[in-house]
Amino acid sequence: MSNDVAYPVFRTPDLALALSTARRLMEFGRCEHSEVSVYAEFRSVAEVWRVAKELPELWFQGQADHEEFEEVPLKELVVGVQGRDLPDDPAAYEGRVPVECELFDLPVGSMEDAFTAVIGENMGEVNWEMLCWPDAPEVGFHGESKHAAVTLLLNTRTRELDEPADDHTVLVHVRSHSVDGRQMREPYAQWLARQVGLTVIGPGQRP
């Protein structure tokens, strides 16, 4: 089973610029079946309600212990509920924060603007998948699609969304191939970045 590795290629506090840059890289590999997904974490109930009001189609899920799943109704925040159905009683969120929200496998262009417009200072990501990176014969790499993706990290620099930041980072994904601890496909990521005027600016991040 193969995995990906994602290299940062652009970073800026300007969200509009970060989104347009990520899109430029994504368009280089976009194909008929490309999709976009969005994800964010909210550490206050007020932020959950604010975003759900703007994007009621998002799915929200609160924190829970595994044992709880057998005991709660299907429409509880524990197992996931759309924004339009979120409970309006603050007590329902006790012990559930941070609350995650997500929406997967959407058509490219359908959610990116709206999602980044409401993200505020919360950490999240926009992820374009099912891209098709082309061959790069001058650096000795064949194209790929399984691990071809672009991610825009929002208010964080890590894929784990565990460290808040005051800027946004664009990542380019390629297949991970490590030999003696060295990533052999980093030159391919560098080549991909150069095709749209970017460059790798930091170490690769594993999932």
Side-chain angles (χ1 to χ4, degrees), residues 3-204:
N3 292 305
D4 74 294
V5 57
Y7 291 90
V9 296
F10 186 72
R11 182 171 292 129
T12 178
D14 185 331
L15 180 53
L17 179 59
L19 178 58
S20 64
T21 301
R23 279 175 158 155
R24 191 168 79 247
L25 180 58
M26 176 274 296
E27 289 290 350
F28 182 65
R30 184 176 177 179
C31 58
E32 180 182 358
H33 304 293
S34 298
E35 298 174 339
V36 65
S37 299
V38 296
Y39 173 87
E41 294 180 357
F42 304 103
R43 299 187 176 276
S44 77
V45 178
E47 281 295 276
V48 171
W49 286 340
R50 179 184 67 81
V51 173
K53 182 179 180 179
E54 295 292 329
L55 296 174
E57 65 270 39
L58 290 174
W59 283 88
F60 293 80
Q61 184 173 10
Q63 302 301 302
D65 295 326
H66 290 295
E67 305 83 60
E68 290 186 77
F69 283 90
E70 297 180 358
E71 303 174 6
V72 298
L74 288 180
K75 293 189 71 174
E76 282 280 350
L77 186 62
V78 175
V79 294
V81 60
Q82 280 192 292
R84 58 178 57 91
D85 297 320
L86 278 172
D88 53 13
D89 180 2
Y93 298 84
E94 293 180 4
R96 305 298 185 209
V97 178
V99 174
E100 303 172 349
C101 84
E102 60 190 17
L103 208 55
F104 294 144
D105 306 332
L106 304 169
V108 172
S110 63
M111 177 57 67
E112 297 95 312
D113 291 311
F115 186 75
T116 54
V118 303
I119 191 66
E121 297 181 356
N122 302 289
M123 292 185 292
E125 67 175 29
V126 179
N127 190 54
W128 294 269
E129 297 181 299
M130 299 185 71
L131 306 180
C132 298
W133 295 141
D135 293 340
E138 59 266 50
V139 289
F141 292 100
H142 293 295
E144 64 176 82
S145 56
K146 181 177 180 181
H147 297 294
V150 171
T151 298
L152 171 57
L153 296 175
L154 304 166
N155 302 307
T156 184
R157 297 183 176 186
T158 69
R159 295 177 72 178
E160 294 81 11
L161 278 65
D162 57 356
E163 298 177 14
D166 57 4
D167 51 24
H168 319 287
T169 299
V170 177
L171 304 174
V172 59
H173 299 241
V174 295
R175 182 185 303 270
S176 176
H177 178 205
S178 179
V179 176
D180 296 330
R182 179 186 175 193
Q183 279 291 339
M184 304 305 292
R185 295 181 70 82
E186 182 173 344
Y188 187 36
Q190 186 69 265
W191 180 87
L192 291 167
R194 286 200 304 270
Q195 305 317 296
V196 292
L198 304 174
T199 188
V200 170
I201 59 174

